[in-house]
Amino acid sequence: MSVKPRWNVQDIPDLSGRLALVTGANSGLGLASVVALARKGARVLMACRHPDRAARGRDAALAQVPEAAERLEIVSLDLTSLDSVRTCARTILERFDRLDILMNNAGIMAIPRGLTADGFEIQFGTNHLGHFALTGLLLPLLLQTPASRVVTVTSAAAEFGVIDFDDLMGEKRYRRWSAYSQSKLANLLFAVELQRRLSLSGYSTISLAAHPGIAATNLQRASMAAEASKFQIASLKGFLSIAQTADQGALPQLYAATDPQAEPGGFYGPRGFLQMKGSPAQIPLRLNRRGRDEATRRRLWEVSEALIGFRYPLADS
């Protein structure tokens, strides 16, 4: 079903009584999503790694939505540590009896090679495996919440991604942009495969994917700060000159998370030229033909389960 051409945050329905969890909620797309969800009445858990940054993000959100003071809460989550992911999920499962929206938003982009606490290449480990583990651990709560949604934020960089099963962790060869694209393709494949398995299992929970187009966030600055040539710095300045704001970039993931017309397994991004800017539109999975490759999706799922050490309670055939 098509999205109306000028969909914006005013079109988000009333979310009173709903619980949302947003990862990477202290800045950028995550913070914009927190503000929009809270403004419509949701209780929002801001899942963040750094306490100080999280507190500043909450203050920034409350400056825009002061009436949400009792509905915005910080929860500790470090996606580079499976122990932290397990602790976060256990806390939420113990405290809440529903979870309406899980927005897998946090990410890192094109940084030098590093390892997570569990020995995974840091971009694949953070962007994909951390969210894969978090979603699986929170699945019991999602499944008992009628019509709950999992929204996984990917990137147009998925178009260039290849899942290198022979070198997932970049041990043989590491190129930071290739590693980033692989992790973003993994996000897309996960979202599609999760919907397939939810449908097979007969649950009302749905999985969707979204990408922001070109949006100015801390991701670009962090990437350039980590390792940048003069050319890359100049490119960043050019990028920022044409980028839309984080508020605009968050619209596709907000549509996926809240609109009654969003379709199970749907993929949403900007409707403008080359999907760079604009209000949300549904994007065919031709964004990357690998997104339609069921064999790759199933293999990635199985490998991911082996790496995180547990299996999802969902049918696969």
Side-chain angles (χ1 to χ4, degrees), residues 50-99:
H50 300 287
D52 292 345
R53 296 178 191 174
R56 290 195 295 271
R58 183 176 184 275
D59 289 344
L62 289 177
Q64 300 181 65
V65 196
E67 67 273 18
E70 296 183 357
R71 293 186 281 107
L72 291 186
E73 181 178 345
I74 295 168
V75 294
S76 178
L77 173 66
D78 181 354
L79 289 165
T80 70
S81 165
L82 289 180
D83 280 345
S84 175
V85 174
R86 285 188 285 263
T87 298
C88 177
R90 183 167 56 249
T91 298
I92 293 167
L93 290 169
E94 290 172 353
R95 291 186 54 206
F96 301 100
D97 61 3
R98 67 182 302 128
L99 181 59

Side-chain angles (χ1 to χ4, degrees), residues 23-69:
T23 68
N26 59 283
S27 65
L29 304 175
L31 181 58
S33 297
V34 167
V35 169
L37 295 171
R39 185 169 279 136
K40 288 294 186 170
R43 182 174 185 178
V44 186
L45 304 179
M46 301 176 65
C48 304
R49 177 180 181 181
H50 300 287
D52 292 345
R53 296 178 191 174
R56 290 195 295 271
R58 183 176 184 275
D59 289 344
L62 289 177
Q64 300 181 65
V65 196
E67 67 273 18

Side-chain angles (χ1 to χ4, degrees), residues 92-275:
I92 293 167
L93 290 169
E94 290 172 353
R95 291 186 54 206
F96 301 100
D97 61 3
R98 67 182 302 128
L99 181 59
D100 298 89
I101 298 167
L102 172 58
M103 188 176 286
N104 291 324
N105 164 81
I108 54 177
M109 183 177 76
I111 62 173
R113 188 175 187 274
L115 299 177
T116 69
D118 304 282
F120 307 135
E121 185 275 311
I122 196 163
Q123 295 194 79
F124 189 77
T126 301
N127 297 349
H128 169 60
L129 289 175
H131 284 124
F132 184 88
L134 180 67
T135 304
L137 291 167
L138 292 176
L139 200 59
L141 197 55
L142 288 158
L143 295 181
Q144 74 182 38
T145 306
S148 59
R149 300 186 184 194
V150 179
V151 178
T152 301
V153 180
T154 181
S155 163
E159 170 71 18
F160 310 105
V162 175
I163 306 297
D164 186 354
F165 289 107
D166 294 326
D167 192 23
L168 272 179
M169 304 305 164
E171 296 170 303
K172 299 175 184 177
R173 183 182 185 187
Y174 182 79
R175 293 178 293 179
R176 61 193 185 116
W177 283 104
S178 295
Y180 175 68
S181 297
Q182 174 180 250
S183 73
K184 293 286 96 179
L185 176 57
N187 287 150
L188 179 56
L189 298 178
F190 165 57
V192 175
E193 181 64 11
L194 176 58
Q195 179 58 52
R196 188 182 74 85
R197 293 177 185 237
L198 288 167
S199 296
L200 283 172
S201 300
Y203 291 112
S204 65
T205 298
I206 64 173
S207 170
L208 310 94
H211 84 85
I214 296 181
T217 69
N218 290 336
L219 273 183
Q220 296 88 16
R221 295 181 180 88
S223 175
M224 292 300 104
E227 183 179 306
S229 65
K230 291 182 179 178
F231 173 77
Q232 289 169 324
I233 291 171
S235 297
L236 174 62
K237 291 179 179 178
F239 173 92
L240 293 176
S241 71
I242 63 170
Q244 58 188 347
T245 66
D247 287 348
Q248 294 167 325
L251 291 177
Q253 64 203 60
L254 286 165
Y255 179 89
T258 68
D259 198 274
Q261 303 302 319
E263 296 185 359
F267 182 28
Y268 296 91
R271 67 172 61 248
F273 178 66
L274 296 179
Q275 301 170 19

